Amino acid sequence: MRYADGPTAQVEIHIDAPPSRVWELVTDINLPARFSSEFQGAEWIEPATRAALGATFKGRNKHPAVGEWETTSYVVGCDPERLFAWQIGEGEEPGAQWRFELVPDGDGTLLKQWMRMGPGRSGLNAAIDAMPDKEERIIERRCEEHRRNMTATVEGIKALAERA
């Protein structure tokens, strides 16, 4: 797998709560920071105050190999109780794309979290540029880190939604 291929990671979980409850949680842009080892939190950029198409937010991240950094995200999909999607960076070449998809599932919700690297450059490209012969291994490791954090996030959302 090469970065130019747009590597993806996805996790999903069944939640015994209606999409309306799950939606409240997935659109809280700070909630994943409670469960992720990398994502540290976010804040809406004015005039945005909540999830809406075109809204922007600034996210803070930390990784032991890279340090700390901020990103600006643009909400590119917002269909209440169905889809919340954003991309890192503006335009046609985002550094990454992320989304939560909610699917009614009996009395509950199937929650999917998905991400795609690229097609624009991101911090990962510095490592690939420095070690092009290890690109596949770098991407595989990064996808696994994303899957671990995404799994922790959807499991945390499940626990909160089912507790309510």
Side-chain angles (χ1 to χ4, degrees):
M1 173 72 57
R2 298 180 46 86
Y3 189 83
D5 298 330
T8 63
Q10 179 173 315
V11 298
E12 61 182 55
I13 196 165
H14 174 83
I15 300 175
D16 290 321
S20 59
R21 173 65 182 136
V22 177
W23 179 254
E24 293 172 24
L25 298 168
V26 301
T27 57
D28 176 349
I29 59 171
N30 275 297
L31 187 71
R34 294 173 60 177
F35 311 110
S36 173
S37 65
E38 184 171 317
F39 180 68
Q40 302 297 297
E43 57 266 344
W44 292 108
I45 297 172
E46 289 186 7
T49 58
R50 62 181 176 79
L53 195 60
T56 57
F57 60 92
K58 186 163 296 287
R60 295 176 313 283
N61 302 280
K62 182 169 72 171
H63 189 282
V66 181
E68 297 181 15
W69 71 97
E70 291 186 342
T71 61
T72 301
S73 294
Y74 298 80
V75 177
V76 295
C78 192
D79 186 2
E81 299 182 21
R82 296 182 194 279
L83 176 73
F84 178 49
W86 64 97
Q87 67 182 34
I88 310 300
E90 228 176 340
E92 300 295 316
E93 298 275 325
Q97 300 162 60
W98 293 82
R99 73 174 175 241
F100 284 108
E101 184 180 353
L102 292 72
V103 180
D105 188 18
D107 290 338
T109 305
L110 179 64
L111 176 62
K112 301 176 185 182
Q113 187 178 16
W114 173 91
M115 72 81 52
R116 176 179 180 226
M117 295 180 207
R121 290 180 63 83
S122 71
L124 190 62
N125 293 104
I128 294 168
D129 292 347
M131 300 174 281
D133 56 315
K134 296 181 180 172
E135 179 175 10
E136 190 170 320
R137 199 165 85 202
I138 292 167
I139 290 170
E140 186 176 299
R141 185 173 299 138
R142 189 65 176 135
C143 283
E144 184 51 39
E145 288 174 338
H146 283 313
R147 272 191 289 280
R148 272 196 309 272
N149 280 314
M150 292 161 66
T151 297
T153 298
V154 298
E155 287 175 349
I157 290 169
K158 175 182 174 71
L160 292 171
E162 291 179 352
R163 190 172 2 159

